[in-house]
Amino acid sequence: MEKKKICVIGLGYIGLPTAALLANRGYDVHGVDIVQNIVDTINRGEIHIKEPELDTFVKIAVNSGKLKADLKPTKADVFIIAVPTPFHNDFVPNIDYVISATKSIAPYVQEGNVVILESTSPVGTTEKVEEVLASEGVDTSKLFIAHCPERVLPGRIMRELVENDRIVGGVTPESTKVVAEFYREFVEGEVLETDAKTAEMTKLTENSFRDVNIAFANELSMLCDKFGINVWELIKLANRHPRVNILNPGAGVGGHCIAVDPWFIVHAGGETAKLIKTAREVNNYKTEWAIEKIKNAALKFENKNGRKAKIACMGLAFKPDIDDLRESPALYIAKRLRADGFEVIAVEPNIESYKEFEIVEYKEALKQADIVTFLVAHKEFKNLDIKTDLDFCGVLES
Ligand SMILES: NC(=O)c1ccc[n+]([C@@H]2O[C@H](COP(=O)([O-])OP(=O)(O)OC[C@H]3O[C@@H](n4cnc5c(N)ncnc54)[C@H](O)[C@@H]3O)[C@@H](O)[C@H]2O)c1
């Protein structure tokens, strides 16, 4: 059987690994991005993002002629949309990229084609894709349109793309079947079938589940501080109950998924989304609370010593052992401290440079600092012999 031709729209953390994987499985893949530099980099067989094994996959795919990048879509059997879905400043979901990606494929879509939305999306977006195609003059009754949310973990994307279970939700039961069959060609995990709205809500639910549970841990950490209790010991003890599993508190919640996706539910759910909204607020509040704690310690130092404290901010990424700064509470804390007139020494072992801070090597920072605050539990910080009341990620407890 001849392999299908695939057009992937958006060549970022999701689209590029997907395109490279499919090309290595023998599909003819036409990757599309609106950024010229990304297109050029990929066509040289190189990559513009950091992800283990991706460089090899892309190099092989491009050298074999199976993967080509371009600024424009082309005719294909399967279109996969993997563009960003952020929110506007007021937490209103922004599906503009999905809409423009959909419009861009409209002239190329033909009868019998498959159109898949992989971007994490507010409920109803897949139907919106169908509406947009119809409004562009496409006969959508002859297409198979579905949502298939991506749930890979950065750092393990190439493996998880194949191994994870996938949810496929079509705008019609027939679309669900056809699209699920496509994923079964290369996914080793189970491909589960549902409708489009349920598939959209499943992805949002997964991330909201994490957010709500982290909010519980974060609230506990602030309560324990008030009561003079070590929250890490408390959680360890409580988790010895066979049916209790409390997550770790931190300096807030970051990243482009967990800190973003619950807002898609809150926006549409209004008053009904009480717990999910409160969890978002608690997690954001934890970051403000941490900033206040650090500022108080710095002012105390200043009063005692007659000079400003140098504050080592240990970690800027949104979680341990990665270089991703998107929506990072740690980065936000460092920026806020500096904007409010405090002297910050920025430490992030996973990046070499950053436009807004000079990145200082962690041992050097510890030598220079008057106050040390641990914001991310990077492996480099474990087992350091340091005393501080400002360990917000519990790295000294591990
Ligand atoms: N990165 C992850 O770990 C992850 C995990 C699960 C789900 N997701 C979801 O997948 C989606 C994509 O995320 P990502 O991390 O790959 O984003 P990204 O920012 O890394 O990549 C998106 C790419 O799309 C391009 N783009 C934007 N509009 C375009 C258009 N109209 N046509 C062609 N290209 C266009 C951008 O230039 C960019 O290169 C988002 O909805 C995200 O929430 C991401």
Side-chain angles (χ1 to χ4, degrees):
M1 194 178 74
E2 203 183 319
K3 284 269 191 184
K4 297 179 182 73
K5 179 158 182 165
I6 318 280
C7 185
V8 178
I9 316 295
L11 297 174
Y13 283 92
I14 296 303
L16 182 56
T18 304
L21 173 82
L22 292 171
N24 280 279
R25 295 291 178 102
Y27 296 92
D28 244 322
V29 182
H30 183 90
V32 181
D33 206 286
I34 45 172
V35 178
Q36 181 77 56
N37 185 39
I38 293 179
V39 168
D40 294 343
T41 306
I42 295 167
N43 282 334
R44 285 197 305 271
E46 294 167 12
I47 56 175
H48 63 290
I49 48 179
K50 244 188 173 181
E51 176 62 33
E53 298 179 73
L54 179 62
D55 51 350
T56 316
F57 272 80
V58 169
K59 193 183 250 166
I60 296 172
V62 171
N63 286 346
S64 67
K66 286 286 178 192
L67 172 62
K68 288 192 186 71
D70 197 354
L71 290 169
K72 287 213 158 16
T74 186
K75 285 185 180 164
D77 302 302
V78 178
F79 292 84
I80 299 177
I81 299 173
V83 294
T85 42
F87 51 58
H88 295 292
N89 282 343
D90 42 3
F91 301 124
V92 175
N94 175 357
I95 60 162
D96 296 354
Y97 298 97
V98 173
I99 304 295
S100 66
T102 305
K103 284 186 178 162
S104 78
I105 62 170
Y108 304 94
V109 173
Q110 294 168 299
E111 188 178 331
N113 282 175
V114 162
V115 177
I116 301 164
L117 176 64
E118 282 210 359
S119 303
T120 304
S121 297
V123 173
T125 311
T126 314
E127 284 172 1
K128 187 91 191 155
V129 166
E130 182 176 25
E131 267 172 51
V132 170
L133 287 172
S135 71
E136 296 286 308
V138 178
D139 180 358
T140 53
S141 69
K142 306 270 168 52
L143 300 179
F144 303 102
I145 304 173
H147 181 50
C148 180
E150 191 48 77
R151 31 159 73 142
V152 288
L153 183 72
R156 288 174 46 88
I157 294 182
M158 296 320 299
R159 213 167 324 150
E160 292 203 358
L161 273 178
V162 176
E163 290 175 1
N164 286 356
D165 292 344
R166 301 297 293 263
I167 315 283
V168 172
V171 292
T172 60
E174 211 191 351
S175 299
T176 305
K177 290 255 166 308
V178 170
V179 176
E181 277 314 311
F182 167 64
Y183 279 95
R184 287 190 188 110
E185 290 176 18
F186 62 95
V187 167
E188 286 166 15
E190 208 173 322
V191 179
L192 303 149
E193 299 180 14
T194 181
D195 55 66
K197 280 186 178 175
T198 309
E200 289 158 347
M201 189 62 180
T202 304
K203 170 72 191 178
L204 302 182
T205 299
E206 290 162 11
N207 285 342
S208 299
F209 175 86
R210 300 280 298 163
D211 201 42
V212 167
N213 282 280
I214 298 169
F216 182 71
N218 275 336
E219 185 161 301
L220 278 181
S221 70
M222 294 184 279
L223 288 169
C224 282
D225 185 75
K226 203 173 191 165
F227 303 154
I229 292 171
N230 178 327
V231 69
W232 307 99
E233 184 192 354
L234 173 92
I235 290 175
K236 242 182 237 162
L237 293 172
N239 279 350
R240 295 298 284 268
H241 182 290
R243 285 165 296 281
V244 171
N245 184 14
I246 303 168
L247 302 184
N248 292 327
V253 169
H256 52 290
C257 289
I258 298 181
V260 175
D261 303 346
W263 288 117
F264 294 1
I265 297 181
V266 172
H267 177 70
E271 275 301 296
T272 316
K274 282 192 182 60
L275 179 63
I276 295 172
K277 180 166 187 262
T278 305
R280 274 289 64 240
E281 287 165 352
V282 168
N283 286 331
N284 284 345
Y285 175 66
K286 177 69 192 285
T287 308
E288 297 299 327
W289 183 87
I291 291 170
E292 280 313 302
K293 285 256 161 210
I294 301 167
K295 280 184 178 176
N296 283 341
L299 292 174
K300 222 167 155 183
F301 177 94
E302 198 172 329
N303 282 341
K304 195 168 159 204
N305 297 282
R307 65 173 175 86
K308 274 191 178 303
K310 288 183 185 150
I311 308 167
C313 287
M314 306 293 281
L316 300 178
F318 85 78
K319 66 176 181 179
D321 305 325
I322 59 163
D323 66 343
D324 196 337
L325 302 177
R326 288 183 285 181
E327 309 290 329
S328 168
L331 178 64
Y332 176 77
I333 290 171
K335 282 185 181 176
R336 272 279 304 280
L337 289 172
R338 197 174 60 182
D340 293 349
F342 293 86
E343 207 173 308
V344 169
I345 307 170
V347 176
E348 179 42 74
N350 298 292
I351 58 177
E352 275 158 27
S353 62
Y354 180 64
K355 53 186 185 310
E356 289 176 55
F357 285 107
E358 182 200 347
I359 302 294
V360 179
E361 199 270 327
Y362 80 91
K363 285 183 191 147
E364 182 53 36
L366 292 177
K367 268 190 229 155
Q368 291 177 16
D370 301 305
I371 289 175
V372 180
T373 178
F374 287 94
L375 304 177
V376 192
H378 289 314
K379 61 181 184 314
E380 290 82 355
F381 306 156
K382 287 187 176 156
N383 307 317
L384 288 177
D385 186 21
I386 288 172
K387 285 223 166 345
T388 174
D389 294 333
L390 302 172
D391 175 9
F392 297 106
C393 54
V395 71
L396 300 181
E397 305 284 334
S398 48

